[in-house]
Every structure is written in C-alpha cells, then in structure tokens.
Amino acid sequence: VTLFAYGQTGAGKTFTMSGVPGMLGVSPRTITEIYDVIEKGKSRYNYTVMGSMLELYRQDLVDLLAKGNPAAEKHKLNVRVEKS
C-alpha cells in the first residue's frame, strides 16, 4: 500500500493523512484495515508488515521515522537518479 499526499503548504495534507482525535485520517484508518485483514487471514497465511514514512520537500528526501533526538536535524536520504 502506498499513500501519497501532494499539495502546497496549508492545503490540508497533514490533516487528511493523520487526522485528529475522534476523526482519524487516511493513514491510521489504512493501518487499521491492514491489521484487520491480517487478523482475518492469520489461520491461512503468514504476513510480514514493514513500513516507512518519507517526506519529499523541495530536493530533500527525509526519513520521518528515523530514530534519534527529535530536536536534531532530520535525517536526509540520498536520492539516486539513473543516468540515461
């Protein structure tokens, strides 16, 4: 599953993806659905769930789940482009 939000600052991407208490956004509802499907199929299948959360802002790709000091600079990832 891939969730993608695109838009200018202030357009509501964070609200749409995360939601607020009592009104969950797309991300928590999708995660809940994934685990509901796993629960229903666990007698027939084995599942592996992995996740990542990335932010692309201008030219920077940032791992939003990187461990460490939240006050420290965000961990920027390298973007590789195929030269062709």
Side-chain angles (χ1 to χ4, degrees), residues 31 34-35 38 46-51:
I31 293 167
I34 289 169
Y35 281 97
I38 290 170
N46 291 317
Y47 296 92
T48 299
V49 178
M50 298 184 302

Side-chain angles (χ1 to χ4, degrees), residues 5-77:
Y6 176 82
Q8 67 187 93
T9 300
K13 299 176 297 297
T14 301
F15 176 78
T16 299
M17 297 305 282
S18 301
V20 293
M23 190 177 359
L24 297 176
V26 174
S27 296
R29 289 186 287 131
T30 300
I31 293 167
T32 298
E33 181 65 21
I34 289 169
Y35 281 97
D36 287 347
V37 169
I38 290 170
E39 184 63 29
K40 291 174 186 170
K42 70 180 183 182
S43 64
R44 297 182 60 196
Y45 304 102
N46 291 317
Y47 296 92
T48 299
V49 178
M50 298 184 302
S52 59
M53 185 176 262
L54 305 174
E55 173 185 69
L56 178 59
Y57 182 72
R58 296 185 183 168
Q59 298 297 320
D60 296 328
L61 185 62
V62 180
D63 182 351
L64 297 176
L65 300 179
K67 293 182 179 180
N69 182 354
E73 184 177 334
K74 292 180 181 179
H75 180 69
K76 294 180 183 177
L77 303 172

Side-chain angles (χ1 to χ4, degrees), residues 3-4 7 28 56 64 71 80:
L3 303 174
F4 183 81
L56 178 59
L64 297 176
R80 296 185 180 126

